């Protein structure tokens, strides 16, 4: 199961420099963890808890010591692990340290087959080739000599130098393109290879070509881009068994039931059960009750790719709803569609609180106008009475792709200290994050304060629309801020509603220049991260969770993000043939849980969207730089906090029982104090 | 209602009759100092009041709005929230409540009306009724009050006028009237003169203070010299300076002339590995005739290390005061935004503009320099002398940063306060000119101390768990600088401070050192009020706020006393290559050199020195030093030389905290500079009193249970519950053991052991304050814990700090009430006029 660890490792990757390269028996790892920049809050809580615990420890009975000993032993164990063999070089997401720092991942790691040369393998993973005498051209500390192994899932490099163990591991899915580079200074018959990755790094290797072996490049190309070589994605070969089935996380009927649907205005329609109405929509849709199937079919013809307006979320009190769709096909001649106009009227009427409907067109208004020439367009306020149209002015996928490309230049491999901030500005990445967040906040505010239903669309209704609706739902509904709820949100708004993951990410496809690719989901996760920074206690999941999700967006290990639509996924039998990412995550939720989580029910979160309050997610973008502060201990510390809290709760209960017996035995002369709370169940939302 | 009988004064009109007014008022207010719900200071009069006002809360305060009543007195703009708990009448006066702002802190008053904003000056007249009142403060707060429709228009307008007229316009002389407004009353003077100094921190005012520091650092071969006792040798140096044991005062006297302003090399701090940190001004271009002179100079400079001295020149790589001033004013303009001029940086240029201020660059360069010095000191057995032309600005920054990095003591609140006393206040940083309180010297203005605080914040944000003090403390200090009330900051050197106190009738006490606590009789006549030290936090901050200055549990295990001041148990790893005795190197731009004229007396021209046994250092010594520096440079990389951390590894408390200085690792101190950003939306934050944090609930419950157990134990005498009996004897051993085992989340058992180890610090009869949580006296009433209730809701930090006092048991009193009890001022108040 070391891939999960790999994910964790990727998370850890930001803080690689815990193991000084060059001194194998260094081991200050454990001590370092105190310096983690988790923010002071973690430290505060730890110390507070420690203080309260220690003040509660009685002289003789020390039940919590055993826990502590265990923790201590575990730490020792980690120490040993790391000391023995796991020292690694900074800029890798090498497996072992992540295993070590993320121990529970080993729960499944027991099944890891140790193969020759100690390459850890996943169930179902096979080694394709092994090349000795490869130089890793580290951008931070020069050359490393070692052995390169390519499996059908990953590239694994380990240094031969026993003094300074170094491991680098790259998921083949993360490779965007493979390039040969000139390494003339390495002597003759040496080839250079650069792996340009989607996850903001580009490791380079130099290796000798001796002819007798299959060129490593060919093997790599074949397995990095299996779909281009008539191979199947690794997710279909992966054989891990998890105790929890992640495919059961999202059940549309249950989710709509949670929202109180169907009700008198909205009904759950099975019209699309065969994906005949719209091939990119899910089979289960929520549409207004008062509209006939016939009308819906007419509306489908009028909307781009037949993506009709359907309900995404409904406000439990005001009944105002978020409705998503694609652009109307008004075309240059300003076509009208009576049924579509009526459809929106019915959506408006479904909410008795307001006699208006707001359409948020996520595009830039100029682009929307040019789309008219291409037979697309936007709703005219004169044809749709009581409708207000707003443009959110968000640029298209190509702009976003370019922005992230610039960001990669800024963060990898070297960081220009003097111009760091202006370089970030020039990528405009944070500006786009701001646009997304403010757009979503407008939607949320319209629903919450304006009690008005909202229709969101862009061109096709699967990119910016998904970003805006899912962020708005995250702000409005505390359920989506739980570990489970967030998975439901992603499954619903992104996966089932046909965000073209396969095209946007380019899973297994070698056409790296495909203009369909764009990091929209990364942007969404970045926005979520910004919100977790501003509301640190409002989310049940932690940063590791977000990092894990984005890493497996590329990895092709799980079936969750594969393919473009529900229809395709059904055809490929994804649910039976592959494992869900949520299986992995929900099998060890404690790793991904934020101990400070408080369920703020009915609290709408409005993030501050001024760029003054946005930050670059360096824990993701700049994590390959070994000079970044180690992030490793962060989630480790979080987990320890959870343990501590559980222990503290246990003690509280114990003391409560004790206090109860005492007050029973010796009560009569003093009245119960106002602080009498015996028996208050201490439940927290974890 | 006040509106009927409102009294609007101009400040200057008011000043002469302040005493009469106050006298007439004291009788009225003897019973209660509350005026319309505002707790007034003695002698403070309410000039204007507006009801139904809402105050916008910052993110730190929990966001949202707070409704209450707004007051303007001749000292402050005060805001009293609705339902704020009634204070104990006998409580000590607090200058500023939690929501108040001193008039002297206000820089600009802006009102927002329907569709317009206007900058209000003392002479401006309003043509509309403001809906919003925005106060821009010098300390970068922006305080925003919203008037309700129900607020009477007259109140709104009068309030605006009153504030505009009474806030201190930046001109010479206004400081004094402000001080008088705050502290000028007889009662306040008396109250202040009865304050005791905080005995937990070192004030560096007397020889014994310095000796205590020498002892703490284990610097045995140094002594305190009072050669500058009457400031005859150097006007800007402190009265006492620390010099090598072997240099006699008579010899020392000859050295002063060779340094700018007579600021000779003085000892600042000793690294546990045996290196000494010195500070000095630039050499005077003197002619060195006498051999003895030179011998003395060398002795002073080399201190107690015979072999090696590194001079760190601070001028070159660090920003000049003018640079810092420019950067800070740009940062200010950028962060404050300004609705009246609506010049706000567009969002997409924010980071570039921030970079363009160079503030972060300057922070980084100071930290980098301090890192270099810290790494040198870590090498052991050498002397590092910081040299700056005047030795009054950046050497303060670097020397104190080095100590914050290397000395855990300096990361505690008392330790840090002592550090600022030592390296800034006593060392003669020109606070008064640099802050430019009197607005009479714009050229000299430069917020060097604020740059230092930012550097400390950077360290804190990278190593939060290694600090006992908190961001709140740094913020409090940051804000206090802008309040012209504190003796610590209102002078440029100790001499000026002494002069002032002499004017006040303070008897001159050369032996024990001067104190800023005043003789009771000194307050009888003088015109100037006595000024408190900034460290008297109780004057400014309520107890719950002060509790947030420190972490609930000290971060590092209690330090063992130093053995002979030398922790270097493994000297070989640190031994530099054999150096020729008397080698001097210059560290500049990260490299070492030995320019011929580094020490002017050694340069060939003097001729005398040639015969000396010392020869010019050869360059082969340099590598040893460079290795030390490299350790620092590499520490940014994974390959850091952990060997330097020695067998103690990361547990070595003296291992310097070396910050990462790469772009992504340096942050903007948002909590300080963006506190009042008007862009902040006023949506309520999910933290509220109704939804306490789960950890908070847990902690609260634990406390309650502990109290109940204590009660139960006193009731049922026979059966003492284990939790209570066990409390005094702490299972420290276990905890410490675990710490050593490397369990990362185990905490030093410091709180208790410190609490019990320092019982002498807490005078027994002071249990009037709320330390009931710890081992409640048998039979005591159910403990009231108002602090927690107050602090509980607004956000998680609040609660943590709030509980700290309870769960901790550190002796908290910063001032011991005088033996005759703290009620003195109040009980005297009414009696005086009678």
């Amino acid at each position: 199961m070391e891939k999960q660890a790999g994910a964790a490792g990727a998370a850890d990757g930001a803080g690689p420099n815990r193991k000084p390269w060059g001194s194998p028996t260094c081991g200050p790892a454990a001590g370092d963890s105190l310096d983690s920049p988790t923010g002071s809050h973690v430290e505060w809580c730890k110390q507070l808890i420690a203080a309260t615990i220690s003040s509660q420890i009685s002289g003789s009975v020390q039940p919590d010591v055993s826990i502590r000993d265990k923790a201590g032993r575990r730490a020792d164990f980690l120490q040993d692990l790391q000391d023995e063999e796991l020292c690694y070089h900074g800029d890798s997401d090498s497996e072992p340290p992540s295993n070590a720092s993320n121990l529970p991942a080993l729960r499944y790691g027991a099944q890891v087959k140790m193969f020759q040369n100690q390459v850890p393998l996943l169930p179902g993973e096979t080694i394709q080739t092994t090349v000795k005498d490869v130089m890793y051209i580290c951008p931070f500390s020069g050359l490393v000599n070692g052995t390169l192994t390519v499996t059908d899932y990953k590239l694994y490099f380990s240094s031969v130098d026993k003094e300074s163990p170094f491991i680098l591991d790259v998921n083949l899915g993360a490779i965007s393109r493979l390039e040969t580079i000139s390494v003339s200074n390495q002597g003759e018959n040496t080839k250079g290879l650069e792996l340009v990755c989607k996850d903001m790094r580009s490791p380079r290797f130099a290796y000798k070509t001796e002819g007798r072996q299959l060129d490593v490049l060919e093997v790599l190309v074949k397995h990095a881009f299996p779909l281009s070589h008539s191979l199947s994605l690794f997710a279909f070969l992966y054989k891990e068994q998890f105790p929890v089935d992640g495919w059961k996380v999202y059940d549309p009927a249950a989710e709509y039931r949670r929202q109180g649907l169907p009700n008198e205005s909205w009904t759950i329609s099975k019209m699309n059960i065969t994906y005949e109405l719209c091939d990119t929509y899910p089979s289960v849709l929520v549409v207004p009750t008062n509209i006939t199937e016939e009308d819906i079919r007419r509306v489908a013809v009028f909307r781009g790719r037949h993506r009709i307006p359907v309900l995404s979320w409904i406000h439990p009190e005001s009944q105002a709803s978020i409705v998503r769709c694609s652009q109307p096909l008004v075309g240059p001649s300003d076509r009208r569609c009576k049924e579509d106009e009526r459809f929106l009227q019915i959506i408006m009427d479904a909410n008795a609180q307001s006699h208006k409907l707001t359409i948020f067109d996520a595009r830039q208004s100029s682009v929307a106008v040019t789309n008219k020439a291409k037979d697309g367009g936007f709703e005219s306020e004169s044809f749709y009475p009581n409708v207000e149209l707003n443009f959110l002015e968000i640029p298209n996928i190509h702009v976003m792709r370019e922005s992230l490309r610039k960001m990669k230049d800024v963060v990898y491999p070297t960081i220009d200290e003097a111009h760091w901030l202006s370089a970030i500005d020039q990528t405009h990445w944070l500006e786009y994050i701001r646009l997304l967040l403010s757009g979503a906040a407008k939607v949320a505010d319209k629903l919450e304060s304006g009690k008005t239903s909202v229709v969101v669309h862009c061109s096709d209704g699967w990119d910016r629309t998904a970003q805006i609706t899912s962020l708005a739902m995250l702000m409005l509904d505390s359920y989506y801020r739980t570990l489970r709820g967030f998975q439901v949100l992603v499954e619903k708004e992104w996966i089932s509603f046909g965000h073209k993951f396969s095209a946007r990410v380019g899973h297994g496809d070698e056409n790296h220049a495909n203009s369909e690719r764009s990091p929209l989901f990364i942007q969404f996760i970045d926005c979520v991260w910004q919100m977790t920074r501003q509301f640190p206690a409002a989310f049940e999941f932690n940063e590791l969770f977000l990092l894990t999700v984005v890493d497996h967006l590329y990895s092709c290990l799980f079936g969750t993000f594969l393919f473009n639509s529900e229809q395709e996924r059904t055809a490929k039998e994804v649910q039976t043939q592959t494992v869900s990412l949520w299986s992995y995550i929900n099998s060890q939720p404690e790793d991904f849980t934020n101990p400070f989580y408080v369920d703020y029910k009915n609290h709408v979160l409005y993030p501050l969207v001024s760029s003054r309050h946005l930050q670059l997610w360096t824990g993701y973008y700049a994590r390959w730089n070994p000079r970044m502060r180690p992030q490793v201990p962060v989630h480790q510390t979080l987990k320890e906090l959870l343990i501590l809290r559980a222990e503290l709760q246990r003690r509280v209960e114990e003391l409560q029982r004790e206090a109860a017996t005492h007050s029973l035995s010796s009560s009569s002369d003093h009245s119960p104090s106002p602080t009498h709370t015996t028996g208050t169940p201490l439940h927290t939302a974890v | 209602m006040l509106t009927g009988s409102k009294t609007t004064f101009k400040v200057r009109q008011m000043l002469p009759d302040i005493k009469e007014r106050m006298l007439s008022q004291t009788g009225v207010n003897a019973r209660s100092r509350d005026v319309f719900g505002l707790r007034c200071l003695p002698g403070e009069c309410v000039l204007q009041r507006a009801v139904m006002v809402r105050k916008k809360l910052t993110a730190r305060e929990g966001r949202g709005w707070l409704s209450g009543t707004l007051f303007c007195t001749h000292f402050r703009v005060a805001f009293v929230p609705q339902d704020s708990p009634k204070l104990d009448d006998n409580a000590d006066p607090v200058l500023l409540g939690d929501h108040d702002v001193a008039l002297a802190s206000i820089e600009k008053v802006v009102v927002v009306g329907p569709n317009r904003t206007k900058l209000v000056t003392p002479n401006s007249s309003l043509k509309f009724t403001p809906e919003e009142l925005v106060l821009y403060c010098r300390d970068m707060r922006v305080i925003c009050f919203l008037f309700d429709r129900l607020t009477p228009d007259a109140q709104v307008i009068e309030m605006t006028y009153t504030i505009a007229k009474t806030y201190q316009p930046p001109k010479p002389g206004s400081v004094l009237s402000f001080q008088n407004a705050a502290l000028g009353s007889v009662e306040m003077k008396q109250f202040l003169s009865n304050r005791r100094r905080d005995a937990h921190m070192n004030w560096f005012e007397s020889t014994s203070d310095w000796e205590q520091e020498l002892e703490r650092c284990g610097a045995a071969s140094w002594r305190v010299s009072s050669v500058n006792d009457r400031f005859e040798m150097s006007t800007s140096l402190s009265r006492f300076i620390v010099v090598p044991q072997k240099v006699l005062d008579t010899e020392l006297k000859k050295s002063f002339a060779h340094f700018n302003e007579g600021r000779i090399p003085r000892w600042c701090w000793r690294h546990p590995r045996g290196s000494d940190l010195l500070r000095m001004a630039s050499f005077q271009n003197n002619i060195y005739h006498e051999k003895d002179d030179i011998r003395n100079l060398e002795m002073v400079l080399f201190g107690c290390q015979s072999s090696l001295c590194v001079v760190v020149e601070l001028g070159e790589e660090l920003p000049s005061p003018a640079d810092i001033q420019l950067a800070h004013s740009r940062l200010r303009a950028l962060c404050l935004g300004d609705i009246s001029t609506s010049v706000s940086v567009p969002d997409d240029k924010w980071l570039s503009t921030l970079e363009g201020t160079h503030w972060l660059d300057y922070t980084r360069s100071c930290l980098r320099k301090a890192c270099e010095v810290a790494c040198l000191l870590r090498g052991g057995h050498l002397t590092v002398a910081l040299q700056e032309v005047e030795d009054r600005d950046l050497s303060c920054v670097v020397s104190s940063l080095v100590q914050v990095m290397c000395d855990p003591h300096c990361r505690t609140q008392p330790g840090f306060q002592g550090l600022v006393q030592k390296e800034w206040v006593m060392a003669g940083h020109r606070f008064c000119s640099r802050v430019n309180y009197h607005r009479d010297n714009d050229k000299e203005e430069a917020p060097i101390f604020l740059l230092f605080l930012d550097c400390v914040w950077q360290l804190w944000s990278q190593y939060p768990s290694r600090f006992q003090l908190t961001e709140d403390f740094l913020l409090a200090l940051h804000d206090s600088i802008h309040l012209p009330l504190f003796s610590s900051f209102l002078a440029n050197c100790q001499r000026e401070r002494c002069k002032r106190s002499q004017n006040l009738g303070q008897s001159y006490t050369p032996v024990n050192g001067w104190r800023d606590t005043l003789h009771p009789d000194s307050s009888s006549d003088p015109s100037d009020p006595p000024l408190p030290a900034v460290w008297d936090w109780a004057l400014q901050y309520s107890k719950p706020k002060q509790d947030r200055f420190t972490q609930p549990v000290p971060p590092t295990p209690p330090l063992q006393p130093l053995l002979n001041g030398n922790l270097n148990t493994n000297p070989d790893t640190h031994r530099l290559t054999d150096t020729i005795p008397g080698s001097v190197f210059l560290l500049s731009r990260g490299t070492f050199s030995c320019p011929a004229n580094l020490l002017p007396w050694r340069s060939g021209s003097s001729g005398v020195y040639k015969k000396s046994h010392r020869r010019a250092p050869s360059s082969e010594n340099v590598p040893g030093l460079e290795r030390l520096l490299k350790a620092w440079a590499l520490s940014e990389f994974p390959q850091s030389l952990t060997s330097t951390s020695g067998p103690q590894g990361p547990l070595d408390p003296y291992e310097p905290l070396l910050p990462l200085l790469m772009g992504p690792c340096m942050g903007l101190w948002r909590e300080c500079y963006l506190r009042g950003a008007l862009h902040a939306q006023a949506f309520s934050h999910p933290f509220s009193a109704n939804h306490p944090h789960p950890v908070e609930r847990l902690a609260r419950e634990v406390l309650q249970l502990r109290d109940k157990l204590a009660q139960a134990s006193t009731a049922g005498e026979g059966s003492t519950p284990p939790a209570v009996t066990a409390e005094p004897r702490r299972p420290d051993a276990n905890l410490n053991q675990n710490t050593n085992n490397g369990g990362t989340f185990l905490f030093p058992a410091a709180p208790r052991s410190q609490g019990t180890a320092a019982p002498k610090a807490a005078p027994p009869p002071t249990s009037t304050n709320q330390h009931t949580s710890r081992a409640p006296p048998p039979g005591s009433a159910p403990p009231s814990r108002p602090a927690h209730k107050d602090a509980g809701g607004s956000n998680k930090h609040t609660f943590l700090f709030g509980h700290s006092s309870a769960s901790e048991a550190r002796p908290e009193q910063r001032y011991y009430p005088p033996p005759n009890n703290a009620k003195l001022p109040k009980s005297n108040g009414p009696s005086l006029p009678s």
Side-chain angles (χ1 to χ4, degrees), chain A residues 376-388:
Chain A
F378 51 92
E379 294 83 356
S380 156
E381 290 185 15
S382 51
F383 300 155
Y384 293 82
N386 299 321
V387 162
E388 182 193 357

Side-chain angles (χ1 to χ4, degrees), chain A residues 503-563:
Chain A
R504 298 289 177 252
V505 176
H507 290 133
D509 176 42
E510 67 182 346
N511 183 8
H512 62 84
N514 192 328
S515 67
E516 284 278 285
R517 293 195 185 178
S518 190
L520 295 173
F521 190 70
I522 302 290
Q523 259 186 331
F524 164 67
I525 298 290
D526 193 330
C527 291
V528 176
W529 180 83
Q530 303 283 356
M531 286 179 66
T532 62
R533 295 288 294 198
Q534 292 191 21
F535 304 97
F539 292 86
E540 195 193 4
F541 46 86
N542 58 19
E543 185 177 12
L544 175 66
F545 172 74
L546 296 178
L547 285 165
T548 308
V549 169
V550 284
D551 276 331
H552 289 296
L553 172 67
Y554 298 130
S555 75
C556 297
L557 181 65
F558 300 106
T560 302
F561 295 118
L562 300 183
F563 304 111

